[in-house]
Amino acid sequence: MGVSYNDEMAPTTDATSFSDASLTVIVPTFEEPIRLARALTSLRDQTHESLHVVVVNNGGDPSVVEQVVGVIASSSSPVASRITIHHRDQHGARGMVIEEALRQIDSPFVAILDESQSWQPSCASVAVKCLTDNSQASAVCVGWSIALEKMIEERVWPRRNDAVSLKEGDLSLASLMSGIEIPEHAVVYRRSALTSVGGVDQSLDHLAMWDVNVRMATHGTI
């Protein structure tokens, strides 16, 4: 990915700098700079400004991640200045990566955004308002679409985009156990509820957040 970078763009690595944030978004990444740039751009453009973004480099080249984040951080957007990076020396299971990041934040709400995913600009605002207005809700699930893409010469080309609509009962324990698949970026969690169900299982990889959703469905309303 062609980016320019200098030390003045360097993002902070102090995860406690933004303890005032109402929502923290954890972005695990591993050697996908182009998709990471798109994911972070979508967070930079959020209308909800009380946002903290934690990029977790899961064993990839630190300089590449810092270049991407540095370019995003150079924007004038209020969110752009609220990004921190955590570099892991070794590649770890997804559950371990997310749980490590969760232990370092204290915002009331938390979300996971994979490097291959992105949010519409109003997503954080809508989710935070829903959780604020519904104090008994453990989490909120927003609508999403599934995009089929192909990487050609360091560019991402969309091939198809399918919107997914939820109906009553889709987020019940029975539905989740029967195999309904909710992408992790479509759910925003109340951190206290996430802690109450034991957090993220560090031994799990791609099923880590499905496991969380199943336990969350037993704890309260999604």
Side-chain angles (χ1 to χ4, degrees):
M1 179 179 184
V3 295
S4 58
Y5 178 79
N6 58 57
D7 290 340
E8 293 180 355
M9 292 181 179
T12 178
T13 56
D14 181 5
T16 65
S17 297
F18 307 114
S19 58
D20 63 321
S22 61
L23 171 63
T24 296
V25 183
I26 299 170
V27 186
T29 184
F30 179 66
E31 298 182 349
E32 287 278 2
I34 295 174
R35 290 190 168 95
L36 175 62
R38 180 178 60 181
L40 293 181
T41 297
S42 79
L43 295 178
R44 177 201 66 188
D45 295 341
Q46 291 299 301
T47 57
H48 183 74
E49 296 181 1
S50 181
L51 186 67
H52 177 200
V53 180
V54 179
V55 179
V56 184
N57 174 25
N58 191 11
D61 186 342
S63 65
V64 173
V65 174
E66 289 176 5
Q67 283 183 345
V68 174
V69 174
V71 171
I72 301 298
S74 67
S75 164
S76 60
S77 163
V79 178
S81 62
R82 301 171 68 87
I83 303 175
T84 60
I85 303 174
H86 172 61
H87 293 294
R88 301 189 81 258
D89 293 334
Q90 296 182 335
H91 189 79
R94 194 169 187 79
M96 179 185 299
V97 170
I98 295 171
E99 181 63 21
E100 285 177 354
L102 283 172
R103 292 177 179 177
Q104 299 181 47
I105 63 176
D106 55 8
S107 60
F109 309 124
V110 64
I112 315 299
L113 185 70
D114 186 80
E115 61 195 4
S116 65
Q117 302 162 339
S118 59
W119 277 359
Q120 294 293 327
S122 63
C123 185
S125 294
V126 170
V128 168
K129 184 178 187 305
C130 182
L131 285 170
T132 301
D133 292 346
N134 297 274
S135 60
Q136 300 305 309
S138 299
V140 59
C141 183
V142 301
W144 72 89
S145 62
I146 300 173
L148 301 180
E149 302 174 331
K150 187 173 184 179
M151 184 78 76
I152 302 177
E153 296 181 353
E154 296 190 344
R155 290 188 62 186
V156 179
W157 295 88
R159 305 181 69 180
R160 197 175 81 217
N161 196 303
D162 298 328
V164 177
S165 59
L166 292 175
K167 60 183 182 295
E168 194 69 28
D170 280 351
L171 301 181
S172 67
L173 177 60
S175 294
L176 291 169
M177 291 296 292
S178 68
I180 184 171
E181 197 167 332
I182 303 171
E184 59 189 29
H185 74 295
V187 185
V188 177
Y189 302 92
R190 193 179 301 278
R191 190 174 59 85
S192 59
L194 192 55
T195 300
S196 295
V197 300
V200 182
D201 188 330
Q202 297 188 58
S203 68
L204 296 178
D205 200 353
H206 296 296
L207 292 176
M209 299 315 294
W210 171 83
D211 172 69
V212 165
N213 290 337
V214 168
R215 285 183 280 124
M216 291 290 280
T218 68
H219 178 82
T221 303
I222 301 179

